[in-house]
Amino acid sequence: QVQLVESGGDVVQPGGSLRLSCAASGFDFSGTAMSWLRQPPGKGLEWVSSIGVYSHATHYPASVKGRFTISRDNAVNEIYLQMNDLKPEDTAVYYCAQGWGPASSTGGPGTQVTVSS
């Protein structure tokens, strides 16, 4: 079955950086676009980034563009999210997801990112 396991969340000060990872299994990873979504406290899921099958296609909302970078390693079935210049509003549980864009399907437990001084 599909398994998505996120890791790398932590508490970080504003302006800091984190790198999230997601290990995927149970489906054709190299043939599937992947995304990151997040859920801030008390709010719904927000789309954060997407990456196509061949890595050169990426897409971000304005809220994170220029600060976040999504990447993937098809050799080990993982995707990553490099987050720089973190802001308190980036505080959320981050999920990796199958698919492209906001309608991507999450399935893992998520990883908590807290940005606070």
Side-chain angles (χ1 to χ4, degrees):
Q1 71 276 22
V2 172
Q3 284 196 321
L4 300 169
V5 181
E6 304 88 349
S7 62
D10 205 345
V11 178
V12 63
Q13 292 188 343
S17 297
L18 279 177
R19 187 182 189 233
L20 306 183
S21 300
C22 171
S25 62
F27 63 99
D28 178 21
F29 178 82
S30 61
T32 303
M34 297 292 294
S35 295
W36 286 96
L37 304 177
R38 68 185 181 187
Q39 186 164 23
K43 298 184 179 180
L45 279 173
E46 298 178 352
W47 167 64
V48 174
S49 60
S50 294
I51 186 166
V53 171
Y54 297 110
S55 296
H56 59 268
T58 58
H59 195 37
Y60 306 89
S63 58
V64 307
K65 194 170 186 178
R67 299 189 298 122
F68 290 10
T69 302
I70 188 172
S71 60
R72 67 189 297 160
D73 186 343
N74 289 342
V76 295
N77 286 12
E78 291 189 353
I79 66 167
Y80 310 99
L81 186 67
Q82 177 67 42
M83 305 186 294
N84 298 328
D85 189 23
L86 282 161
K87 305 177 186 299
E89 53 264 41
D90 295 319
T91 295
V93 179
Y94 283 72
Y95 301 91
C96 65
Q98 295 175 278
W100 179 273
S104 303
S105 299
T106 61
T111 187
Q112 175 71 48
V113 173
T114 301
V115 184
S116 174
S117 55

